[in-house]
Amino acid sequence: MALPLRSLSRGLASAAKEDHGGAGAGTWRLLTFVLALPSVALCTLNSWLHAGHHERPTFIPYHHLRIRTKPYSWGDGNHTLFHNPRVNPLPTGYERP
């Protein structure tokens, strides 16, 4: 039993002959301005309103975390490439209080 793929492909090909996008372009433009942009604005406002200084967790020296089998090839070998001393602990703990 053969599938009617020939008729399906013809229908899709004829839709491509019309102007670029047709009614679909208007729908996506409407969705962009009515749904997407306000959603991004609301998410930005939400993150800005709830942003604040959070207390960092106390350091617990788990033996399976921050394992250094060989030193890094930059700096003193103990700091990662994007190390932030305020939030990233070393194997011995945080650098700053």
Side-chain angles (χ1 to χ4, degrees):
M1 184 162 141
L3 296 174
L5 295 178
R6 192 67 148 167
S7 63
L8 178 64
S9 66
R10 281 289 169 205
L12 294 175
S14 65
K17 279 197 255 181
E18 296 175 12
D19 62 311
H20 184 70
T27 303
W28 282 107
R29 179 181 300 240
L30 179 70
L31 287 174
T32 299
F33 290 119
V34 173
L35 292 177
L37 293 180
S39 298
V40 169
L42 285 175
C43 289
T44 303
L45 179 66
N46 184 36
S47 65
W48 182 72
L49 290 175
H50 293 286
H53 183 68
H54 299 287
E55 189 175 315
R56 72 176 175 201
T58 58
F59 179 76
I60 301 172
Y62 293 114
H63 66 279
H64 63 282
L65 296 176
R66 292 172 286 279
I67 298 173
R68 308 280 199 266
T69 55
K70 63 179 185 176
Y72 292 118
S73 59
W74 53 82
D76 64 350
N78 199 22
H79 294 82
T80 60
L81 186 59
F82 300 106
H83 182 76
N84 183 348
R86 193 170 46 96
V87 295
N88 300 121
L90 295 173
T92 57
Y94 292 106
E95 294 178 72
R96 295 184 192 169

